[in-house]
PDB file of all heavy atoms in Angstrom:
ATOM      1  N   LYS A 103      17.230   7.475 -20.123  1.00 89.00           N
ATOM      2  CA  LYS A 103      15.787   7.769 -20.072  1.00 89.00           C
ATOM      3  C   LYS A 103      15.465   8.644 -18.863  1.00 89.00           C
ATOM      4  O   LYS A 103      14.307   8.776 -18.461  1.00 89.00           O
ATOM      5  CB  LYS A 103      14.984   6.472 -19.957  1.00 89.00           C
ATOM      6  CG  LYS A 103      15.041   5.597 -21.196  1.00 89.00           C
ATOM      7  CD  LYS A 103      14.124   4.399 -20.983  1.00 89.00           C
ATOM      8  CE  LYS A 103      14.211   3.421 -22.129  1.00 89.00           C
ATOM      9  NZ  LYS A 103      13.762   2.090 -21.762  1.00 89.00           N
ATOM     10  N   GLY A 104      16.509   9.184 -18.249  1.00 89.00           N
ATOM     11  CA  GLY A 104      16.286  10.051 -17.076  1.00 89.00           C
ATOM     12  C   GLY A 104      16.016   9.264 -15.811  1.00 89.00           C
ATOM     13  O   GLY A 104      15.569   9.824 -14.803  1.00 89.00           O
ATOM     14  N   GLU A 105      16.265   7.936 -15.839  1.00 91.00           N
ATOM     15  CA  GLU A 105      15.989   7.122 -14.636  1.00 91.00           C
ATOM     16  C   GLU A 105      17.224   7.100 -13.734  1.00 91.00           C
ATOM     17  O   GLU A 105      18.338   6.842 -14.205  1.00 91.00           O
ATOM     18  CB  GLU A 105      15.649   5.676 -15.046  1.00 91.00           C
ATOM     19  CG  GLU A 105      14.375   5.562 -15.864  1.00 91.00           C
ATOM     20  CD  GLU A 105      14.180   4.153 -16.444  1.00 91.00           C
ATOM     21  OE1 GLU A 105      15.049   3.273 -16.228  1.00 91.00           O
ATOM     22  OE2 GLU A 105      13.174   3.944 -17.130  1.00 91.00           O
ATOM     23  N   HIS A 106      17.012   7.341 -12.450  1.00 92.00           N
ATOM     24  CA  HIS A 106      18.132   7.294 -11.500  1.00 92.00           C
ATOM     25  C   HIS A 106      17.887   6.270 -10.396  1.00 92.00           C
ATOM     26  O   HIS A 106      18.694   6.111  -9.501  1.00 92.00           O
ATOM     27  CB  HIS A 106      18.391   8.679 -10.910  1.00 92.00           C
ATOM     28  CG  HIS A 106      18.696   9.681 -11.997  1.00 92.00           C
ATOM     29  ND1 HIS A 106      19.861   9.627 -12.745  1.00 92.00           N
ATOM     30  CD2 HIS A 106      17.963  10.696 -12.507  1.00 92.00           C
ATOM     31  CE1 HIS A 106      19.830  10.584 -13.659  1.00 92.00           C
ATOM     32  NE2 HIS A 106      18.698  11.242 -13.538  1.00 92.00           N
ATOM     33  N   HIS A 107      16.754   5.628 -10.444  1.00 96.00           N
ATOM     34  CA  HIS A 107      16.432   4.567  -9.487  1.00 96.00           C
ATOM     35  C   HIS A 107      15.301   3.753 -10.107  1.00 96.00           C
ATOM     36  O   HIS A 107      14.743   4.141 -11.140  1.00 96.00           O
ATOM     37  CB  HIS A 107      16.026   5.165  -8.134  1.00 96.00           C
ATOM     38  CG  HIS A 107      14.961   6.215  -8.256  1.00 96.00           C
ATOM     39  ND1 HIS A 107      13.661   5.912  -8.572  1.00 96.00           N
ATOM     40  CD2 HIS A 107      15.006   7.568  -8.140  1.00 96.00           C
ATOM     41  CE1 HIS A 107      12.959   7.019  -8.631  1.00 96.00           C
ATOM     42  NE2 HIS A 107      13.757   8.048  -8.381  1.00 96.00           N
ATOM     43  N   VAL A 108      14.954   2.639  -9.449  1.00 97.00           N
ATOM     44  CA  VAL A 108      13.876   1.798 -10.013  1.00 97.00           C
ATOM     45  C   VAL A 108      12.573   1.955  -9.240  1.00 97.00           C
ATOM     46  O   VAL A 108      11.593   1.238  -9.487  1.00 97.00           O
ATOM     47  CB  VAL A 108      14.294   0.306 -10.051  1.00 97.00           C
ATOM     48  CG1 VAL A 108      15.452   0.085 -11.009  1.00 97.00           C
ATOM     49  CG2 VAL A 108      14.628  -0.220  -8.648  1.00 97.00           C
ATOM     50  N   GLY A 109      12.553   2.869  -8.303  1.00 97.00           N
ATOM     51  CA  GLY A 109      11.357   3.114  -7.488  1.00 97.00           C
ATOM     52  C   GLY A 109      11.809   3.782  -6.195  1.00 97.00           C
ATOM     53  O   GLY A 109      12.999   3.827  -5.893  1.00 97.00           O
ATOM     54  N   VAL A 110      10.845   4.313  -5.453  1.00 98.00           N
ATOM     55  CA  VAL A 110      11.180   5.026  -4.217  1.00 98.00           C
ATOM     56  C   VAL A 110      10.329   4.474  -3.089  1.00 98.00           C
ATOM     57  O   VAL A 110       9.091   4.409  -3.219  1.00 98.00           O
ATOM     58  CB  VAL A 110      10.887   6.545  -4.354  1.00 98.00           C
ATOM     59  CG1 VAL A 110      11.337   7.292  -3.102  1.00 98.00           C
ATOM     60  CG2 VAL A 110      11.551   7.122  -5.590  1.00 98.00           C
ATOM     61  N   HIS A 111      10.988   4.059  -1.997  1.00 98.00           N
ATOM     62  CA  HIS A 111      10.177   3.670  -0.830  1.00 98.00           C
ATOM     63  C   HIS A 111       9.901   4.916   0.010  1.00 98.00           C
ATOM     64  O   HIS A 111      10.815   5.612   0.457  1.00 98.00           O
ATOM     65  CB  HIS A 111      10.894   2.632   0.062  1.00 98.00           C
ATOM     66  CG  HIS A 111      10.093   2.381   1.308  1.00 98.00           C
ATOM     67  ND1 HIS A 111      10.483   2.793   2.550  1.00 98.00           N
ATOM     68  CD2 HIS A 111       8.855   1.820   1.455  1.00 98.00           C
ATOM     69  CE1 HIS A 111       9.535   2.485   3.438  1.00 98.00           C
ATOM     70  NE2 HIS A 111       8.546   1.893   2.787  1.00 98.00           N
ATOM     71  N   VAL A 112       8.607   5.189   0.183  1.00 97.00           N
ATOM     72  CA  VAL A 112       8.181   6.338   0.987  1.00 97.00           C
ATOM     73  C   VAL A 112       7.290   5.816   2.117  1.00 97.00           C
ATOM     74  O   VAL A 112       6.185   5.348   1.854  1.00 97.00           O
ATOM     75  CB  VAL A 112       7.337   7.339   0.155  1.00 97.00           C
ATOM     76  CG1 VAL A 112       7.007   8.558   0.996  1.00 97.00           C
ATOM     77  CG2 VAL A 112       8.055   7.736  -1.095  1.00 97.00           C
ATOM     78  N   PRO A 113       7.756   5.873   3.364  1.00 96.00           N
ATOM     79  CA  PRO A 113       6.855   5.459   4.449  1.00 96.00           C
ATOM     80  C   PRO A 113       5.562   6.262   4.363  1.00 96.00           C
ATOM     81  O   PRO A 113       5.596   7.479   4.134  1.00 96.00           O
ATOM     82  CB  PRO A 113       7.653   5.808   5.718  1.00 96.00           C
ATOM     83  CG  PRO A 113       9.089   5.826   5.274  1.00 96.00           C
ATOM     84  CD  PRO A 113       9.063   6.332   3.863  1.00 96.00           C
ATOM     85  N   GLN A 114       4.430   5.592   4.541  1.00 95.00           N
ATOM     86  CA  GLN A 114       3.144   6.279   4.330  1.00 95.00           C
ATOM     87  C   GLN A 114       2.976   7.469   5.255  1.00 95.00           C
ATOM     88  O   GLN A 114       2.377   8.474   4.885  1.00 95.00           O
ATOM     89  CB  GLN A 114       1.975   5.314   4.454  1.00 95.00           C
ATOM     90  CG  GLN A 114       1.890   4.584   5.762  1.00 95.00           C
ATOM     91  CD  GLN A 114       0.558   3.879   5.913  1.00 95.00           C
ATOM     92  OE1 GLN A 114      -0.495   4.482   5.762  1.00 95.00           O
ATOM     93  NE2 GLN A 114       0.607   2.602   6.188  1.00 95.00           N
ATOM     94  N   ASP A 115       3.531   7.376   6.489  1.00 95.00           N
ATOM     95  CA  ASP A 115       3.376   8.527   7.389  1.00 95.00           C
ATOM     96  C   ASP A 115       4.191   9.721   6.883  1.00 95.00           C
ATOM     97  O   ASP A 115       3.771  10.870   7.027  1.00 95.00           O
ATOM     98  CB  ASP A 115       3.709   8.176   8.846  1.00 95.00           C
ATOM     99  CG  ASP A 115       5.016   7.436   8.999  1.00 95.00           C
ATOM    100  OD1 ASP A 115       5.490   6.878   7.995  1.00 95.00           O
ATOM    101  OD2 ASP A 115       5.570   7.437  10.105  1.00 95.00           O
ATOM    102  N   HIS A 116       5.347   9.452   6.256  1.00 97.00           N
ATOM    103  CA  HIS A 116       6.139  10.570   5.716  1.00 97.00           C
ATOM    104  C   HIS A 116       5.385  11.250   4.573  1.00 97.00           C
ATOM    105  O   HIS A 116       5.326  12.478   4.497  1.00 97.00           O
ATOM    106  CB  HIS A 116       7.492  10.069   5.213  1.00 97.00           C
ATOM    107  CG  HIS A 116       8.385   9.593   6.321  1.00 97.00           C
ATOM    108  ND1 HIS A 116       9.718   9.326   6.142  1.00 97.00           N
ATOM    109  CD2 HIS A 116       8.124   9.344   7.637  1.00 97.00           C
ATOM    110  CE1 HIS A 116      10.246   8.928   7.293  1.00 97.00           C
ATOM    111  NE2 HIS A 116       9.295   8.927   8.206  1.00 97.00           N
ATOM    112  N   LEU A 117       4.816  10.429   3.687  1.00 97.00           N
ATOM    113  CA  LEU A 117       4.067  10.990   2.551  1.00 97.00           C
ATOM    114  C   LEU A 117       2.887  11.823   3.047  1.00 97.00           C
ATOM    115  O   LEU A 117       2.717  12.994   2.675  1.00 97.00           O
ATOM    116  CB  LEU A 117       3.559   9.841   1.670  1.00 97.00           C
ATOM    117  CG  LEU A 117       2.679  10.241   0.496  1.00 97.00           C
ATOM    118  CD1 LEU A 117       3.530  10.636  -0.701  1.00 97.00           C
ATOM    119  CD2 LEU A 117       1.736   9.125   0.073  1.00 97.00           C
ATOM    120  N   LEU A 118       2.075  11.230   3.908  1.00 97.00           N
ATOM    121  CA  LEU A 118       0.825  11.892   4.315  1.00 97.00           C
ATOM    122  C   LEU A 118       1.099  13.071   5.245  1.00 97.00           C
ATOM    123  O   LEU A 118       0.432  14.111   5.147  1.00 97.00           O
ATOM    124  CB  LEU A 118      -0.120  10.880   4.957  1.00 97.00           C
ATOM    125  CG  LEU A 118      -0.593   9.772   4.002  1.00 97.00           C
ATOM    126  CD1 LEU A 118      -1.422   8.736   4.727  1.00 97.00           C
ATOM    127  CD2 LEU A 118      -1.382  10.355   2.842  1.00 97.00           C
TER     128      LEU A 118
END
Side-chain angles (χ1 to χ4, degrees):
K103 292 184 185 159
E105 296 171 359
H106 302 292
H107 51 71
V108 295
V110 184
H111 174 250
V112 184
Q114 57 168 307
D115 48 341
H116 292 192
L117 176 84
L118 296 175

